[in-house]
Amino acid sequence: MADLIVRSLGVQPYLETWEAMKTFTAERHAQVADELWFLEHPRVYTQGQAGKAEHILAPGDIPVIQVDRGGQVTYHGPGQLVVYLMIDLTRKKLGVRGLVDEIEQAIVRTLAGLGVEAAPRSDAPGVYVGASKIASLGLRVRRGCSFHGLALNVDMDMEPFRRINPCGYAGMAMSQVRDFVPAAVMADVQQRLTEQLVSGLGHPEVEFLQGW
């Protein structure tokens, strides 16, 4: 029996996916396999629990949703690879900081495989190429289990980031994989990141599924 299920979900509405994450976490028990959900969202801003309204400058026609993860405001949209990590941290004997480190290093290794040098920063969660942020992180832990996760900018319209202070930082430069690898495609980046997250988290039995 698999101890990790990896789901490729395509484009999914934000609210329904958030509800599914919360339900999965609330109903899981010690024998339930961990899951990674790979997907994209239609255009949406999400504001973390400690989020400040002044960081949302001019959302215009893009909805703003208050959510229960850590962090400030961020943007999700087509061409951004989102991964939600439903991990039983107690079972894995993994702390929140350890999970954040695993996520950041998986992104760093994925980008290195594409020839892009990236690194995390100690003062601001996420992964950066030079001074620009290419991936954002935001997690919630309930009953010893994580949900929410990461967003890696791959090949998207970056304009909506200019309508906010990304992650609460005014003037934060944002970048995407296509800035550095013009031929990058979502499917390849997803495959690479899947491999790095699975190996980094160390689940011996993995099942790959398309859809729910």
Side-chain angles (χ1 to χ4, degrees):
M1 177 180 166
D3 62 348
L4 177 66
I5 294 171
V6 177
R7 297 184 186 274
S8 183
L9 299 173
V11 179
Q12 296 289 336
Y14 185 86
L15 277 173
E16 287 87 337
T17 308
W18 178 29
E19 291 299 326
M21 274 193 287
K22 290 189 289 186
T23 299
F24 177 89
T25 302
E27 295 179 351
R28 68 180 303 179
H29 53 76
Q31 283 68 52
V32 172
D34 292 338
E35 296 202 8
L36 303 183
W37 297 354
F38 286 75
L39 55 114
E40 299 173 60
H41 287 306
R43 292 166 22 123
V44 65
Y45 293 114
T46 65
Q47 175 80 294
Q49 286 183 302
K52 297 179 180 178
E54 62 261 32
H55 294 310
I56 303 172
L57 307 176
D61 59 341
I62 302 176
V64 179
I65 299 176
Q66 303 289 328
V67 299
D68 57 349
R69 59 163 172 78
Q72 297 277 336
V73 64
T74 194
Y75 169 71
H76 299 304
Q80 180 190 68
L81 179 58
V82 175
V83 187
Y84 294 130
L85 299 97
M86 274 63 73
I87 307 295
D88 186 332
L89 300 178
T90 305
R91 186 170 62 201
K92 292 290 291 181
K93 297 181 173 59
L94 188 63
V96 177
R97 182 66 248 177
L99 178 59
V100 169
D101 288 343
E102 290 290 355
I103 294 170
E104 290 176 338
Q105 291 306 317
I107 297 169
V108 168
R109 293 192 302 269
T110 298
L111 293 171
L114 293 164
V116 180
E117 184 178 346
R121 270 173 40 179
S122 59
D123 62 326
V127 175
Y128 299 78
V129 180
S132 70
K133 189 171 195 174
I134 197 169
S136 303
L137 273 69
L139 293 168
R140 178 75 190 272
V141 175
R142 186 178 293 158
R143 298 167 56 239
C145 298
S146 69
F147 57 110
H148 291 288
L150 71 93
L152 173 61
N153 305 328
V154 178
D155 182 13
M156 60 190 299
D157 176 9
M158 301 293 284
E159 184 276 332
F161 282 113
R162 295 197 287 274
R163 306 189 201 178
I164 60 173
N165 292 330
C167 306
Y169 291 89
M172 168 72 76
M174 302 295 293
S175 59
Q176 59 181 332
V177 178
R178 281 293 296 267
D179 294 339
F180 311 102
V181 187
V185 294
M186 178 65 78
D188 178 56
V189 176
Q190 178 172 326
Q191 178 63 36
R192 291 170 181 269
L193 184 55
T194 300
E195 292 170 358
Q196 295 302 332
L197 283 170
V198 168
S199 65
L201 291 168
H203 289 76
E205 298 292 335
V206 184
E207 182 178 2
F208 296 90
L209 299 175
Q210 296 286 328
W212 302 105

